[in-house]
Structure formats: C-alpha cells, structure tokens
Short mmCIF file of all heavy atoms in Angstrom, two decimals:
data_model
loop_
_atom_site.label_atom_id
_atom_site.label_comp_id
_atom_site.label_asym_id
_atom_site.label_seq_id
_atom_site.Cartn_x
_atom_site.Cartn_y
_atom_site.Cartn_z
N HIS A 1 0.82 -9.20 -18.76
CA HIS A 1 1.08 -8.22 -17.67
C HIS A 1 0.57 -8.98 -16.46
O HIS A 1 -0.61 -9.07 -16.24
CB HIS A 1 0.50 -6.89 -17.93
CG HIS A 1 0.87 -5.86 -16.84
ND1 HIS A 1 0.39 -4.46 -16.95
CD2 HIS A 1 1.55 -6.00 -15.70
CE1 HIS A 1 0.84 -3.94 -15.85
NE2 HIS A 1 1.60 -4.77 -15.17
N LEU A 2 1.53 -9.33 -15.61
CA LEU A 2 1.08 -9.82 -14.19
C LEU A 2 1.35 -8.68 -13.26
O LEU A 2 2.35 -8.01 -13.36
CB LEU A 2 1.95 -11.07 -13.91
CG LEU A 2 1.78 -12.36 -14.46
CD1 LEU A 2 2.71 -13.43 -13.88
CD2 LEU A 2 0.29 -12.81 -14.28
N LYS A 3 0.49 -8.55 -12.23
CA LYS A 3 0.63 -7.61 -11.24
C LYS A 3 0.09 -8.05 -9.98
O LYS A 3 -0.86 -8.81 -9.84
CB LYS A 3 0.12 -6.16 -11.68
CG LYS A 3 -1.45 -6.15 -11.76
CD LYS A 3 -1.98 -4.74 -12.15
CE LYS A 3 -1.71 -3.86 -10.89
NZ LYS A 3 -2.37 -2.60 -11.07
N ASP A 4 0.68 -7.40 -8.88
CA ASP A 4 -0.01 -7.75 -7.57
C ASP A 4 -1.15 -6.88 -7.48
O ASP A 4 -1.15 -5.64 -7.62
CB ASP A 4 1.04 -7.31 -6.44
CG ASP A 4 2.12 -8.42 -6.18
OD1 ASP A 4 1.72 -9.49 -5.95
OD2 ASP A 4 3.25 -7.93 -6.35
N VAL A 5 -2.43 -7.52 -7.23
CA VAL A 5 -3.66 -6.74 -7.13
C VAL A 5 -3.89 -6.27 -5.74
O VAL A 5 -3.95 -7.08 -4.85
CB VAL A 5 -4.79 -7.66 -7.66
CG1 VAL A 5 -6.10 -6.83 -7.57
CG2 VAL A 5 -4.53 -7.96 -9.01
N VAL A 6 -3.89 -4.91 -5.56
CA VAL A 6 -4.12 -4.35 -4.25
C VAL A 6 -5.50 -4.53 -3.91
O VAL A 6 -6.45 -4.41 -4.65
CB VAL A 6 -3.84 -2.89 -4.20
CG1 VAL A 6 -4.17 -2.18 -2.87
CG2 VAL A 6 -2.30 -2.60 -4.53
N LYS A 7 -5.75 -5.08 -2.68
CA LYS A 7 -7.11 -5.35 -2.22
C LYS A 7 -7.97 -4.07 -2.24
O LYS A 7 -7.55 -2.97 -2.00
CB LYS A 7 -7.09 -5.86 -0.68
CG LYS A 7 -6.45 -7.30 -0.66
CD LYS A 7 -6.50 -7.66 0.74
CE LYS A 7 -5.85 -9.07 0.88
NZ LYS A 7 -5.76 -9.54 2.27
N GLU A 8 -9.14 -4.29 -2.62
CA GLU A 8 -10.18 -3.14 -2.66
C GLU A 8 -10.33 -2.54 -1.40
O GLU A 8 -10.53 -3.10 -0.30
CB GLU A 8 -11.52 -3.70 -3.25
CG GLU A 8 -12.62 -2.65 -3.44
CD GLU A 8 -13.92 -3.22 -3.95
OE1 GLU A 8 -13.91 -4.41 -4.25
OE2 GLU A 8 -14.82 -2.37 -4.17
N GLY A 9 -10.30 -1.21 -1.42
CA GLY A 9 -10.55 -0.39 -0.11
C GLY A 9 -9.30 -0.19 0.73
O GLY A 9 -9.41 0.50 1.78
N MET A 10 -8.13 -0.73 0.26
CA MET A 10 -6.98 -0.55 1.06
C MET A 10 -6.56 0.85 1.22
O MET A 10 -6.09 1.22 2.29
CB MET A 10 -5.84 -1.47 0.55
CG MET A 10 -5.97 -3.01 0.65
SD MET A 10 -6.28 -3.49 2.47
CE MET A 10 -4.80 -2.96 3.18
N ARG A 11 -6.46 1.51 0.22
CA ARG A 11 -6.10 3.00 0.14
C ARG A 11 -6.97 3.84 1.16
O ARG A 11 -6.50 4.65 1.97
CB ARG A 11 -6.23 3.67 -1.26
CG ARG A 11 -5.87 5.21 -1.23
CD ARG A 11 -5.78 5.63 -2.67
NE ARG A 11 -4.67 5.42 -3.30
CZ ARG A 11 -3.45 5.94 -3.15
NH1 ARG A 11 -3.43 7.11 -2.31
NH2 ARG A 11 -2.45 5.54 -3.83
N ASP A 12 -8.30 3.53 1.30
CA ASP A 12 -9.13 4.13 2.27
C ASP A 12 -8.84 3.84 3.52
O ASP A 12 -8.79 4.68 4.57
CB ASP A 12 -10.61 3.74 1.82
CG ASP A 12 -11.25 4.36 0.55
OD1 ASP A 12 -10.51 5.32 0.17
OD2 ASP A 12 -12.13 3.76 0.02
N ARG A 13 -8.47 2.63 3.74
CA ARG A 13 -8.08 2.08 5.17
C ARG A 13 -6.73 2.82 5.63
O ARG A 13 -6.51 3.11 6.77
CB ARG A 13 -8.00 0.62 5.23
CG ARG A 13 -9.18 -0.12 4.82
CD ARG A 13 -9.23 -1.51 5.33
NE ARG A 13 -9.58 -1.55 6.79
CZ ARG A 13 -9.75 -2.76 7.49
NH1 ARG A 13 -9.75 -3.80 6.90
NH2 ARG A 13 -10.08 -2.56 8.73
N PHE A 14 -5.85 2.92 4.64
CA PHE A 14 -4.59 3.54 5.08
C PHE A 14 -4.78 4.95 5.31
O PHE A 14 -4.17 5.58 6.03
CB PHE A 14 -3.46 3.31 4.00
CG PHE A 14 -2.98 1.85 3.98
CD1 PHE A 14 -2.92 1.26 2.68
CD2 PHE A 14 -2.69 1.24 5.11
CE1 PHE A 14 -2.46 -0.16 2.74
CE2 PHE A 14 -2.18 -0.12 5.06
CZ PHE A 14 -2.06 -0.77 3.94
N ASP A 15 -5.66 5.61 4.54
CA ASP A 15 -5.95 6.98 4.81
C ASP A 15 -6.64 7.23 6.25
O ASP A 15 -6.40 8.11 6.89
CB ASP A 15 -7.00 7.50 3.67
CG ASP A 15 -6.39 7.78 2.37
OD1 ASP A 15 -5.18 7.85 2.30
OD2 ASP A 15 -7.13 7.80 1.31
N GLN A 16 -7.45 6.26 6.57
CA GLN A 16 -8.03 6.18 7.85
C GLN A 16 -7.04 6.13 8.95
O GLN A 16 -7.07 6.83 10.03
CB GLN A 16 -9.05 5.03 7.99
CG GLN A 16 -9.81 4.94 9.27
CD GLN A 16 -10.76 3.78 9.28
OE1 GLN A 16 -10.84 3.00 8.34
NE2 GLN A 16 -11.34 3.62 10.42
N LEU A 17 -5.98 5.17 8.76
CA LEU A 17 -4.96 5.09 9.72
C LEU A 17 -4.13 6.38 9.82
O LEU A 17 -3.62 6.75 10.94
CB LEU A 17 -4.02 3.94 9.35
CG LEU A 17 -4.61 2.51 9.59
CD1 LEU A 17 -3.73 1.52 8.86
CD2 LEU A 17 -4.77 2.24 11.01
N ARG A 18 -3.88 7.02 8.59
CA ARG A 18 -3.14 8.31 8.70
C ARG A 18 -3.92 9.35 9.53
O ARG A 18 -3.19 10.11 10.23
CB ARG A 18 -2.95 8.78 7.22
CG ARG A 18 -1.86 9.74 7.06
CD ARG A 18 -1.60 9.94 5.49
NE ARG A 18 -1.00 8.69 4.90
CZ ARG A 18 -1.60 7.96 4.04
NH1 ARG A 18 -2.92 8.33 3.68
NH2 ARG A 18 -0.94 6.96 3.52
N ARG A 19 -5.12 9.39 9.42
CA ARG A 19 -6.00 10.28 10.31
C ARG A 19 -5.96 9.95 11.69
O ARG A 19 -6.07 10.80 12.52
CB ARG A 19 -7.48 10.23 9.64
CG ARG A 19 -7.67 10.92 8.40
CD ARG A 19 -9.19 11.09 8.16
NE ARG A 19 -9.83 10.03 8.07
CZ ARG A 19 -10.17 9.26 6.98
NH1 ARG A 19 -9.61 9.67 5.93
NH2 ARG A 19 -10.92 8.15 7.01
N MET A 20 -5.61 8.64 11.99
CA MET A 20 -5.40 8.23 13.35
C MET A 20 -4.09 8.56 13.90
O MET A 20 -3.68 8.29 14.97
CB MET A 20 -5.70 6.78 13.43
CG MET A 20 -7.09 6.40 13.19
SD MET A 20 -7.33 4.66 12.76
CE MET A 20 -6.80 3.79 14.25
N GLY A 21 -3.09 9.08 12.95
CA GLY A 21 -1.81 9.39 13.40
C GLY A 21 -0.93 8.26 13.31
O GLY A 21 0.18 8.35 14.00
N ILE A 22 -1.20 7.23 12.65
CA ILE A 22 -0.48 5.95 12.52
C ILE A 22 0.30 6.06 11.06
O ILE A 22 -0.43 6.14 10.09
CB ILE A 22 -1.27 4.75 12.67
CG1 ILE A 22 -1.88 4.74 13.98
CG2 ILE A 22 -0.44 3.40 12.47
CD1 ILE A 22 -2.90 3.60 14.27
N ARG A 23 1.54 5.70 11.26
CA ARG A 23 2.40 5.65 9.97
C ARG A 23 2.47 4.25 9.50
O ARG A 23 2.72 3.36 10.25
CB ARG A 23 3.78 6.23 10.26
CG ARG A 23 4.76 6.02 9.05
CD ARG A 23 6.17 6.77 9.54
NE ARG A 23 7.13 6.36 8.53
CZ ARG A 23 8.12 5.49 8.72
NH1 ARG A 23 8.14 4.81 9.87
NH2 ARG A 23 9.02 5.32 7.87
N THR A 24 2.17 3.95 8.26
CA THR A 24 2.18 2.64 7.74
C THR A 24 3.42 2.38 6.83
O THR A 24 3.75 3.11 6.08
CB THR A 24 0.87 2.35 6.94
OG1 THR A 24 0.82 3.40 5.84
CG2 THR A 24 -0.37 2.44 7.78
N VAL A 25 3.92 1.09 7.02
CA VAL A 25 5.06 0.68 6.31
C VAL A 25 4.92 -0.71 5.74
O VAL A 25 4.50 -1.61 6.51
CB VAL A 25 6.33 0.65 7.28
CG1 VAL A 25 7.53 0.24 6.50
CG2 VAL A 25 6.62 1.91 7.89
N MET A 26 4.99 -0.70 4.45
CA MET A 26 4.88 -2.08 3.80
C MET A 26 6.13 -2.81 3.75
O MET A 26 7.23 -2.27 3.44
CB MET A 26 4.32 -1.88 2.30
CG MET A 26 4.07 -3.10 1.68
SD MET A 26 3.62 -2.72 -0.30
CE MET A 26 5.29 -2.34 -0.91
N ILE A 27 6.14 -4.08 4.09
CA ILE A 27 7.31 -4.93 4.08
C ILE A 27 7.26 -5.93 2.98
O ILE A 27 6.15 -6.59 2.86
CB ILE A 27 7.49 -5.62 5.43
CG1 ILE A 27 7.67 -4.55 6.59
CG2 ILE A 27 8.73 -6.52 5.47
CD1 ILE A 27 7.79 -5.18 7.93
N THR A 28 8.26 -6.07 2.15
CA THR A 28 8.11 -6.93 0.98
C THR A 28 9.65 -7.49 0.64
O THR A 28 10.64 -6.78 0.98
CB THR A 28 7.51 -6.33 -0.12
OG1 THR A 28 7.48 -7.27 -1.21
CG2 THR A 28 8.23 -5.16 -0.62
N GLY A 29 9.58 -8.63 0.04
CA GLY A 29 10.79 -9.19 -0.47
C GLY A 29 11.07 -8.75 -1.78
O GLY A 29 12.04 -9.12 -2.42
N ASP A 30 10.19 -7.98 -2.52
CA ASP A 30 10.29 -7.59 -3.85
C ASP A 30 11.48 -6.60 -4.03
O ASP A 30 11.81 -6.09 -3.01
CB ASP A 30 8.92 -6.95 -4.37
CG ASP A 30 7.90 -7.98 -4.58
OD1 ASP A 30 8.16 -9.16 -4.67
OD2 ASP A 30 6.67 -7.64 -4.46
N ASN A 31 11.80 -6.41 -5.26
CA ASN A 31 12.76 -5.44 -5.61
C ASN A 31 12.18 -4.00 -5.32
O ASN A 31 10.97 -3.83 -5.36
CB ASN A 31 13.26 -5.51 -6.95
CG ASN A 31 12.16 -5.35 -8.00
OD1 ASN A 31 11.68 -4.20 -8.30
ND2 ASN A 31 11.71 -6.33 -8.73
N PRO A 32 13.16 -2.95 -5.14
CA PRO A 32 12.55 -1.69 -4.77
C PRO A 32 11.58 -1.09 -5.73
O PRO A 32 10.62 -0.27 -5.52
CB PRO A 32 13.76 -0.74 -4.66
CG PRO A 32 14.98 -1.74 -4.26
CD PRO A 32 14.58 -3.02 -5.02
N LEU A 33 11.72 -1.25 -7.12
CA LEU A 33 11.02 -0.88 -8.16
C LEU A 33 9.49 -1.23 -7.99
O LEU A 33 8.57 -0.49 -7.97
CB LEU A 33 11.55 -1.15 -9.47
CG LEU A 33 10.99 -0.38 -10.74
CD1 LEU A 33 11.37 1.01 -10.59
CD2 LEU A 33 11.52 -0.99 -12.03
N THR A 34 9.47 -2.67 -7.89
CA THR A 34 8.03 -3.22 -7.66
C THR A 34 7.38 -2.70 -6.36
O THR A 34 6.19 -2.29 -6.26
CB THR A 34 8.09 -4.65 -7.65
OG1 THR A 34 8.62 -5.22 -8.90
CG2 THR A 34 6.82 -5.34 -7.44
N ALA A 35 8.18 -2.76 -5.33
CA ALA A 35 7.67 -2.28 -4.04
C ALA A 35 7.28 -0.77 -4.09
O ALA A 35 6.21 -0.48 -3.43
CB ALA A 35 8.81 -2.31 -2.98
N HIS A 36 7.98 0.07 -4.77
CA HIS A 36 7.59 1.51 -4.86
C HIS A 36 6.16 1.52 -5.60
O HIS A 36 5.36 2.39 -5.26
CB HIS A 36 8.63 2.24 -5.69
CG HIS A 36 8.37 3.64 -5.86
ND1 HIS A 36 8.32 4.54 -4.81
CD2 HIS A 36 7.80 4.25 -7.04
CE1 HIS A 36 7.94 5.80 -5.38
NE2 HIS A 36 7.70 5.57 -6.62
N ALA A 37 6.08 0.82 -6.78
CA ALA A 37 4.76 0.85 -7.41
C ALA A 37 3.49 0.43 -6.64
O ALA A 37 2.48 1.14 -6.55
CB ALA A 37 4.90 0.10 -8.61
N ILE A 38 3.65 -0.72 -5.78
CA ILE A 38 2.60 -1.17 -5.02
C ILE A 38 2.48 -0.11 -3.92
O ILE A 38 1.17 -0.03 -3.48
CB ILE A 38 2.92 -2.56 -4.46
CG1 ILE A 38 3.04 -3.58 -5.58
CG2 ILE A 38 1.97 -3.06 -3.45
CD1 ILE A 38 1.88 -3.77 -6.37
N ALA A 39 3.37 0.27 -3.19
CA ALA A 39 3.21 1.30 -2.15
C ALA A 39 2.50 2.55 -2.64
O ALA A 39 1.61 3.12 -1.79
CB ALA A 39 4.63 1.68 -1.63
N GLN A 40 2.84 3.07 -3.83
CA GLN A 40 1.99 4.12 -4.37
C GLN A 40 0.62 3.80 -4.59
O GLN A 40 -0.28 4.67 -4.30
CB GLN A 40 2.65 4.72 -5.65
CG GLN A 40 3.96 5.55 -5.34
CD GLN A 40 4.36 6.30 -6.59
OE1 GLN A 40 4.17 5.86 -7.73
NE2 GLN A 40 4.71 7.61 -6.42
#
C-alpha cells in the first residue's frame, strides 16, 4: 500500500485558516478519487 503521507499538523493549520475566514483549495494532477481521499 503506497499513499501520499499528509504532513503532520496540516489539518490543524487548515482549521486555523478556516477560523481566519480563508477557504483552502488543494490542486493536484491526481485522479478525483485519490484527490478526494487526500483532501478529506
């Protein structure tokens, strides 16, 4: 099983940006299935 490893603390940082009123969008060349999993 190979996977893109999300950097430690990224979810907390995005939560922080959300509290700042900033919407985050991930851009990737991956297929939608992989992109959806990483985004979640």
Side-chain angles (χ1 to χ4, degrees):
H1 185 176
L2 285 183
K3 65 174 294 187
D4 284 302
V5 179
V6 175
K7 293 179 180 178
E8 185 177 355
M10 289 306 296
R11 176 174 283 275
D12 291 338
R13 301 201 78 173
F14 289 134
D15 287 342
Q16 181 181 358
L17 287 168
R18 198 170 292 111
R19 291 193 296 271
M20 293 160 61
I22 297 174
R23 176 172 169 265
T24 53
V25 181
M26 181 185 77
I27 301 176
T28 177
D30 287 338
N31 62 73
L33 195 63
T34 301
H36 177 72
I38 296 298
Q40 279 197 322

